[in-house]
Amino acid sequence: MVVRALRDEGVKYIYGYPGGSLLHVYDALFQQEDVQHVLVRHEQAATHMADAYARATGKAGVALVTSGPGATNAVTGIATAFTDSIPMVVITGQVMSHLIGEDAFQETDMLGISRPVVKHNFSVQRPEDIPSIVKKAFHIAESGRPGPVVIDLPKDMTTPTERYPYEYPKQVKMRSYTPITRGHSGQIKKATDLLLNAKRPVIYTGGGVILGHASDQLTELSRLLNFPVTNTLMGLGGFPGTDRQFIGMLGMHGSYEANMAMHHADLILAVGARFDDRVTNATDKFCPTAKIVHIDIDPASISKTVQADIPIVGPAKVVLDEMIQLVKGSKKQPDAEALKAWWQQIDEWRQRHGGRYRTDDSELMKPQQVIEMLSKVTNGDAFVTSDVGQHQMFAAQYYKFNKPNRWINSGGLGTMGFGLPAAMGVKMNFPDDDVVCVTGEGSIQMNIQELSTCSQYDLPVKILCLNNQSLGMVRQWQDMNYESRHSQSYMNSLPDFVKLVESYGHVGMKIEKYADLEGAMREAFAMKDRLVFMDVAVDPFEHVYPMQVPRGAMRDMWLSKTERT
Amino acid sequence: MRHIISVLMENEPGALSRVVGLFSQRNYNIESLTVAPTDDATLSRLTVTTIGNDRVVEQITKQLNKLVDVVKVVDLSEGEHIEREVMMIKLKASGQMRAEIKRTCDIFRGQIIDVTPTTYTVQLVGASDKLDAFISALGSASIMEVVRSGVCGVARGEKVLSL
Ligand SMILES: Cc1cc2nc3c(=O)[nH]c(=O)nc-3n(C[C@H](O)[C@H](O)[C@H](O)COP(=O)(O)OP(=O)(O)OC[C@H]3O[C@@H](n4cnc5c(N)ncnc54)[C@H](O)[C@@H]3O)c2cc1C
Ligand SMILES: Cc1ncc(C[n+]2csc(CCOP(=O)(O)OP(=O)(O)O)c2C)c(N)n1
Ligand SMILES: [Mg+2]
């Protein structure tokens, strides 16, 4: 019934790992071909694969893991999806229902363990409920503010010799769950009036634009108004990265111009962004002169950390569409005079830092150069997944994302080990696209066993390892706040990655000189059907800049090792 | 400020733990909590009293509303409302103490619901501050055990919390 329900939901791939409590389900999987199972090497990877599929498509990914250790191994992946609001359905095996509570073999209270990191969870108590629970799980995961849903499945709910009536529901109705479908027109009107009167506006958008498939609307509205646009780490690709109106990412490692523009704005239109502490810096100093319009599908995101002047609860796509109509129909036009002055100011800020970095202080390549080359070699068109650390920030800053759903990283939880399985989840579903995992020598080792899964399923992803021989992000903080006491941030005994990947049957490259970089990268991407691991030696002493000064305002930043605003 | 929040939710296993978990996970405080099924057996009504500033309480109601099992949430303290709590209190009562306790009990309109030669058990219904006042009027010396139900409340007038 489980497999049938997944098939009827239209699921093509599920990612998982078998175990005692799931043997009936795995036997059912064996006897059909509609739902294909991908065997990972660690359950965490299964959840990241499902998660990345969801990030690339907007549809819920599915993972299947056994009870006890299988389920607990999946928890990091579930939490990763939860903090970034990613739709996912995770089916966890459970011991026989009569054994629950008896400390049975491989029993864990998965409902309890997962509760704080799921949108919802279900425990199956009657086999005949399986179709409706599966349907509800997908509905909840994908609608409203998306999120992961866990279905805990006791083994005796799947006994193959017992038969039950099966009907997969076409629709679900839940009196206690009714996601909002449109915004309040009065509020939208008020907000639009503010937009048309703004002199120093900024449009600040986040993951909600990606999740809500609203980047066309965002782009149209921004162009109509000629306002500058900044994206959060999760919002990159929501607005074309090479567009003149794009002023870069904002926040802790945001661009100088984006953070300055935010600080001096008189109006901020926030769309599907949650005023995260990595964005706002100290909230009491945040954007002192700005009125804030906040569009979000989740009322709890509004006025949580920063008070909104005009809250609009609703899906970004629908609300922005309504704004576009209002702007088009309005007699009043944006204040061209004021905007001209504002753009002049922004362009001045752009000049001041403009994403520069030094290349003359080290023999080794700079990580920024490597990402810029990647952007060039792939025409800004690849799916880029990332791990967590400096390399992640460099990828966010220097890869120009022109399309949504192509930048796939763990922002809210910052899960090292996410990148490789994420790239695999994307590649499996987009076999003709370039998929590259930007990683560090630290992060890649957190799920490196998945190189084996890549061999089994022919997943020719590209891995670009910015090898700085250290936990660079940690080391940067130690440089800046702990007088360079590099406590445990040095990676000793690194493997020879080339030999390592070769032993799994893949191609490895060691790249040490900038002169070799472009050629090597092109060669790697030309090998369409091979996994290629590019181990790139980069300057271990490089820092990510700009970097906001702790407890300061948006505009308070370090611009390099020696310059402060 | 103290708020009384009423929650109508699906009467399903796990629903209560989601509410309680939410409070500890997000560092909200719970002063008291009561829960029981309503006339419609598929629904439970939960009342929680909490202390927090407006912003915190706004977050609490929003976060409660987000729980998939929760049907409706209302902050009763925002309007006119009635709150009640039940207390059963067991007191040492012998000799002349017995009359004294009986008198205090009458003043507060408590009922003696169990009697032994050396104890009284008193039941008192009222707003929480009335129960507090009764306890301090008795003085701690004679109190053996206090059992309070936690607050439940309802809006005044026509307003109802229902489907
Ligand atoms: C090392 C490191 C450094 C970081 N540095 C930065 C940094 O410099 N800058 C930065 O921005 N981030 C940074 N982050 C990421 C940060 O931690 C947060 O994950 C991120 O800022 C949150 O992005 P967001 O506000 O877009 O919200 P998301 O987590 O993407 O949340 C999406 C929001 O949109 C809403 N939403 C969902 N669907 C819809 C819809 N259909 N319509 C409307 N709304 C919807 C949701 O309710 C939610 O409020 C960093 C992370 C790491 C690991
Ligand atoms: C699972 C996990 N553990 C610890 C951390 C804390 N952390 C954040 S970045 C980082 C260093 C990452 O090193 P590496 O992958 O080599 O990337 P680099 O910063 O050097 O580019 C660490 C340890 C984390 N984010 N995730
Ligand atoms: Mg590193």
Side-chain angles (χ1 to χ4, degrees):
Chain A
M1 285 229 273
V2 177
V3 177
R4 204 160 144 195
L6 291 174
R7 183 199 66 195
D8 289 346
E9 184 58 39
V11 174
K12 188 164 163 216
Y13 292 116
I14 63 176
Y15 314 94
Y17 211 89
S21 66
L22 285 179
L23 288 173
H24 299 326
V25 178
Y26 272 87
D27 195 48
L29 279 169
F30 190 85
Q31 300 180 39
Q32 53 84 56
E33 280 173 3
D34 297 317
V35 181
Q36 295 177 43
H37 181 273
V38 178
L39 179 69
V40 291
R41 300 296 180 265
H42 186 292
E43 287 86 353
Q44 183 186 347
T47 54
H48 292 331
M49 283 184 83
D51 167 316
Y53 162 75
R55 289 180 201 244
T57 62
K59 294 208 280 288
V62 184
L64 178 64
V65 299
T66 193
S67 68
T72 53
N73 271 351
V75 170
T76 302
I78 298 170
T80 302
F82 180 71
T83 36
D84 290 340
S85 308
I86 304 303
M88 184 157 94
V89 173
V90 180
I91 301 173
T92 57
Q94 184 54 278
V95 300
M96 303 265 204
S97 40
H98 69 273
L99 294 177
I100 292 181
E102 294 187 352
D103 303 322
F105 175 63
Q106 295 196 329
E107 181 193 352
T108 52
D109 172 14
M110 195 51 188
L111 290 180
I113 290 175
S114 67
R115 201 215 80 247
V117 292
V118 293
K119 182 166 173 185
H120 196 58
N121 55 24
F122 292 96
S123 157
V124 179
Q125 289 173 346
R126 302 182 317 168
E128 56 266 43
D129 294 340
I130 288 174
S132 72
I133 288 181
V134 170
K135 182 77 198 171
K136 279 184 193 164
F138 278 90
H139 173 61
I140 292 170
E142 291 175 352
S143 58
R145 178 177 182 169
V149 176
V150 163
I151 303 175
D152 202 41
L153 185 64
K155 185 169 186 179
D156 50 328
M157 299 296 123
T158 57
T159 314
T161 49
E162 289 171 31
R163 300 276 156 188
Y164 298 90
Y166 172 95
E167 195 192 342
Y168 197 67
K170 289 201 178 53
Q171 278 182 342
V172 245
K173 225 174 127 34
M174 297 172 73
R175 62 181 173 186
S176 62
Y177 178 73
T178 42
I180 202 131
T181 54
R182 58 187 310 261
H184 186 282
S185 297
Q187 292 288 90
I188 297 176
K189 175 89 190 39
K190 267 203 254 170
T192 311
D193 287 344
L194 275 187
L195 292 178
L196 292 171
N197 283 301
K199 303 208 176 311
R200 298 185 312 280
V202 178
I203 301 181
Y204 143 51
T205 80
V209 168
I210 312 282
L211 295 162
H213 306 285
S215 51
D216 289 345
Q217 283 74 10
L218 169 66
T219 309
E220 185 176 354
L221 181 69
S222 314
R223 296 241 170 90
L224 271 177
L225 294 166
N226 186 31
F227 287 3
V229 182
T230 176
N231 293 157
T232 68
L233 181 71
M234 301 314 293
L236 292 172
F239 188 79
T242 50
D243 195 289
R244 188 191 61 88
Q245 276 172 250
F246 186 61
I247 57 173
M249 183 169 82
L250 81 169
M252 178 174 277
H253 292 299
S255 74
Y256 177 69
E257 54 270 31
N259 287 345
M260 291 302 275
M262 286 293 285
H263 185 85
H264 292 94
D266 70 343
L267 180 78
I268 288 168
L269 172 61
V271 190
R274 56 186 174 82
F275 292 82
D276 185 79
D277 53 75
R278 293 259 155 151
V279 165
T280 59
N281 212 354
T283 46
D284 54 337
K285 297 175 190 153
F286 178 74
C287 303
T289 50
K291 280 230 177 316
I292 293 173
V293 177
H294 191 175
I295 304 170
D296 202 291
I297 203 162
D298 178 5
S301 278
I302 298 181
S303 300
K304 181 173 63 179
T305 60
V306 170
Q307 192 70 30
D309 297 291
I310 303 194
I312 303 174
V313 180
K317 193 183 177 105
V318 181
V319 175
L320 291 177
D321 257 333
E322 217 171 315
M323 284 188 167
I324 291 170
Q325 295 320 318
L326 286 174
V327 171
K328 282 185 174 164
S330 153
K331 281 195 288 296
K332 184 160 173 46
Q333 288 303 303
D335 187 340
E337 201 59 14
L339 284 174
K340 193 168 161 220
W342 183 226
W343 272 113
Q344 234 161 31
Q345 172 67 74
I346 291 173
D347 286 335
E348 244 171 65
W349 286 326
R350 259 189 189 149
Q351 298 296 322
R352 164 115 199 251
H353 188 265
R356 68 183 143 84
Y357 53 89
R358 287 178 65 173
T359 50
D360 58 348
D361 59 348
S362 160
E363 295 284 288
L364 286 163
M365 263 179 278
K366 290 291 177 165
Q368 297 92 325
Q369 292 177 297
V370 183
I371 302 294
E372 286 188 322
M373 187 60 77
L374 178 68
S375 204
K376 180 174 159 199
V377 168
T378 58
N379 294 318
D381 251 357
F383 284 95
V384 180
T385 74
S386 159
D387 268 302
V388 174
Q390 290 184 321
H391 60 271
Q392 175 188 25
M393 292 299 109
F394 290 132
Q397 292 175 330
Y398 293 93
Y399 197 93
K400 300 297 169 213
F401 293 95
N402 281 324
K403 294 185 195 149
N405 304 92
R406 302 226 150 197
W407 165 237
I408 292 180
N409 81 134
S410 163
L413 202 67
T415 307
M416 288 172 70
F418 176 80
L420 174 57
M424 293 157 56
V426 176
K427 189 69 190 174
M428 190 130 232
N429 292 280
F430 296 85
D432 300 329
D433 286 87
D434 283 332
V435 182
V436 52
C437 163
V438 174
T439 185
E441 78 303 321
S443 294
I444 191 68
Q445 294 188 76
M446 285 217 180
N447 266 322
I448 196 141
Q449 75 287 347
E450 296 307 318
L451 287 170
S452 165
T453 312
C454 291
S455 323
Q456 182 169 351
Y457 295 92
D458 286 328
L459 294 171
V461 299
K462 305 293 176 270
I463 300 172
L464 183 65
C465 179
L466 302 185
N467 191 337
N468 56 6
Q469 301 178 41
S470 63
L471 302 175
M473 184 57 91
V474 174
R475 178 185 189 128
Q476 172 168 351
W477 283 64
Q478 290 170 340
D479 283 339
M480 297 176 76
N481 302 313
Y482 299 90
E483 298 167 335
S484 296
R485 289 188 295 278
H486 295 150
S487 174
Q488 307 297 316
S489 58
Y490 180 70
M491 275 255 142
N492 224 330
S493 310
L494 284 175
D496 178 337
F497 285 113
V498 172
K499 283 204 191 123
L500 180 73
V501 300
E502 280 172 0
S503 77
Y504 284 105
H506 306 307
V507 179
M509 292 178 172
K510 195 160 174 65
I511 307 169
E512 285 167 316
K513 288 201 291 292
Y514 185 66
D516 300 338
L517 183 63
E518 178 162 7
M521 239 185 224
R522 290 199 184 278
E523 195 187 323
F525 279 95
M527 286 186 250
K528 291 278 171 215
D529 51 0
R530 300 301 299 276
L531 184 151
V532 183
F533 188 110
M534 290 164 269
D535 184 16
V536 188
V538 297
D539 177 9
F541 301 105
E542 186 59 336
H543 285 177
V544 184
Y545 292 109
M547 179 164 180
Q548 282 176 336
V549 174
R551 289 175 297 281
M554 290 292 287
R555 64 169 168 190
D556 299 325
M557 290 167 266
W558 286 98
L559 299 179
S560 71
K561 285 184 186 169
T562 50
E563 299 159 279
R564 245 195 84 160
T565 51
Chain B
M1 211 183 102
R2 174 169 174 272
H3 289 254
I4 304 173
I5 297 171
S6 272
V7 180
L8 202 61
M9 61 188 195
E10 298 290 351
N11 184 7
E12 273 177 15
L16 177 61
S17 75
R18 287 183 223 282
V19 172
V20 177
L22 176 76
F23 273 74
S24 67
Q25 173 188 356
R26 296 199 178 259
N27 220 353
Y28 305 146
N29 108 318
I30 298 183
E31 292 277 295
S32 80
L33 177 85
T34 69
V35 60
T38 64
D39 56 328
D40 173 351
T42 66
L43 288 171
S44 295
R45 171 129 172 186
L46 178 146
T47 312
V48 54
T49 56
T50 184
I51 292 181
N53 61 31
D54 289 352
R55 217 179 84 192
V56 171
V57 173
E58 186 183 324
Q59 265 297 314
I60 293 178
T61 53
K62 284 174 169 178
Q63 294 292 352
L64 282 169
N65 256 315
K66 256 169 83 169
L67 294 177
V68 169
D69 288 332
V70 167
V71 185
K72 278 191 180 157
V73 179
V74 64
D75 180 357
L76 288 175
S77 341
E78 278 182 350
E80 298 245 334
H81 64 279
I82 301 161
E83 63 165 285
R84 288 291 180 271
E85 191 178 353
V86 178
M87 173 166 70
M88 289 186 276
I89 180 164
K90 196 173 283 185
L91 303 161
K92 275 201 208 86
S94 47
Q96 54 195 14
M97 289 281 291
R98 287 177 90 85
E100 176 78 30
I101 291 172
K102 178 94 182 38
R103 223 171 15 250
T104 321
C105 196
D106 286 343
I107 296 170
F108 281 84
R109 299 182 187 234
Q111 280 172 286
I112 297 172
I113 53 173
D114 187 41
V115 180
T116 70
T118 53
T119 68
Y120 276 155
T121 301
V122 178
Q123 166 192 304
L124 190 65
V125 179
S128 305
D129 51 3
K130 174 175 158 181
L131 308 193
D132 296 341
F134 181 62
I135 291 175
S136 49
L138 288 168
S140 60
S142 53
I143 297 174
M144 299 166 69
E145 188 177 354
V146 175
V147 189
R148 295 173 71 147
S149 64
V151 175
C152 58
V154 69
R156 279 191 189 276
E158 310 253 305
K159 260 198 270 174
V160 290
L161 180 62
S162 66
L163 278 181

